Amino acid sequence: SQQGEEDPQALSIQEGENATMNCSYKTSINNLQWYRQNSGRGLVHLILIRSNEREKHSGRLRVTLDTSKKSSSLLITASRAADTASYFCALDADTGTASKLTFGTGTRLQVTL
Amino acid sequence: DAGVTQSPTHLIKTRGQHVTLRCSPISGHKSVSWYQQVLGQGPQFIFQYYEKEERGRGNFPDRFSARQFPNYSSELNVNALLLGDSALYLCASSRWAEAFFGQGTRLTVV
């Protein structure tokens, strides 16, 4: 299965702490994208990392990709209560044009004050 | 620019009925994809359309169909609704490698 698997399934931290989520997969990919979802609403695109990249940053977000281990991680630094959401990794193993993404089951992040 | 817009936001239907969900992509995006997200799971790919042609289909029954119009907006149709079709239906548009999602349509089948 191409499906990504996020780990942990749920994570609870205090505001100001860092949160790390991992995504593992089984097949070759063109790129991997991370999304945030608040309370079952739409998905917000966070960051895309291509298969030839190892690390990308965007604000408080840092994403790494290890294609040899078929894994990616999303680090949120200095977390805030507003970061409380579900986070999904999405694999693009098709054309690389986001036409067909395969999602994992997500990590539910709870940030408490 | 407006993002991806979906309508309606919520819908309640009875088993056996038919439903049509609508999606308008981001201006300039010619590719539209549909996903189904059941509670507690990640989104599952249903269809992809590009330039009004179906370019991909997920593992869904023939009760599910879609089409894309000349203005690149799209409709997802589901016939003979089952209780198990209750889900959040998400539409995404893309131009290059990133997909941008709408807020979804919450379909409840009773």
Side-chain angles (χ1 to χ4, degrees), chain B residues 76-96:
Chain B
L76 175 69
N77 296 285
V78 187
N79 292 324
L81 285 167
L82 303 173
L83 295 179
D85 295 330
S86 295
L88 180 68
Y89 288 84
L90 295 160
C91 172
S93 75
S94 61
R95 184 175 182 181
W96 303 116

Side-chain angles (χ1 to χ4, degrees), chain A:
Chain A
S1 169
Q2 297 177 1
Q3 183 175 0
E5 294 184 7
E6 282 98 338
D7 171 62
Q9 291 185 334
L11 181 60
S12 183
I13 60 174
Q14 291 190 322
E15 206 171 43
E17 294 181 334
N18 296 340
T20 300
M21 289 158 260
N22 303 295
C23 172
S24 60
Y25 57 93
K26 296 181 179 178
T27 62
S28 297
I29 59 172
N30 293 300
N31 62 65
L32 186 149
Q33 307 184 40
W34 285 90
Y35 289 86
R36 184 185 74 229
Q37 186 176 44
N38 293 85
S39 302
R41 300 303 305 280
L43 297 168
V44 175
H45 187 273
L46 297 177
I47 199 164
L48 176 150
I49 186 164
R50 300 183 191 282
S51 60
N52 61 353
E53 298 175 312
R54 292 296 169 259
E55 186 171 314
K56 286 191 79 171
H57 297 255
S58 178
R60 295 184 295 113
L61 306 179
R62 182 172 78 100
V63 168
T64 62
L65 179 63
D66 187 334
T67 53
S68 65
K69 295 181 179 179
K70 290 186 168 56
S71 68
S72 175
S73 67
L74 169 67
L75 168 67
I76 304 174
T77 60
S79 63
R80 306 166 181 168
D83 294 327
T84 295
S86 291
Y87 291 81
F88 294 91
C89 66
L91 314 175
D92 190 338
D94 192 42
T95 62
T97 58
S99 57
K100 177 184 176 182
L101 299 177
T102 303
F103 287 82
T105 53
T107 293
R108 295 186 308 279
L109 174 65
Q110 176 75 42
V111 181
T112 57
L113 298 174

Side-chain angles (χ1 to χ4, degrees), chain B residues 67-84:
Chain B
R67 55 180 176 167
Q68 187 177 33
F69 299 98
N71 66 353
Y72 304 114
S73 67
S74 178
E75 283 183 354
L76 175 69
N77 296 285
V78 187
N79 292 324
L81 285 167
L82 303 173
L83 295 179

Side-chain angles (χ1 to χ4, degrees), chain B:
Chain B
D1 277 344
V4 177
T5 58
Q6 293 186 243
S7 63
T9 55
H10 295 85
L11 202 54
I12 299 176
K13 289 286 190 179
T14 304
R15 279 177 295 177
Q17 285 188 316
H18 162 270
V19 69
T20 297
L21 311 180
R22 296 177 174 82
C23 171
S24 292
I26 293 171
S27 177
H29 289 194
K30 299 180 179 180
S31 174
V32 171
S33 296
W34 287 94
Y35 293 81
Q36 180 196 65
Q37 185 178 23
V38 175
L39 193 63
Q41 297 184 17
Q44 296 284 316
F45 172 76
I46 310 175
F47 284 111
Q48 189 239 344
Y49 276 77
Y50 179 79
E51 291 277 14
K52 296 172 288 181
E53 290 187 3
E54 181 184 304
R55 295 296 184 92
R57 172 187 280 260
N59 188 24
F60 281 81
D62 292 342
R63 298 185 296 108
F64 288 76
S65 64
R67 55 180 176 167
Q68 187 177 33
F69 299 98
N71 66 353
Y72 304 114
S73 67
S74 178
E75 283 183 354
L76 175 69
N77 296 285
V78 187
N79 292 324
L81 285 167
L82 303 173
L83 295 179
D85 295 330
S86 295
L88 180 68
Y89 288 84
L90 295 160
C91 172
S93 75
S94 61
R95 184 175 182 181
W96 303 116
E98 297 170 332
F100 297 92
F101 285 78
Q103 287 299 301
T105 294
R106 173 72 63 187
L107 172 65
T108 302
V109 182
V110 297

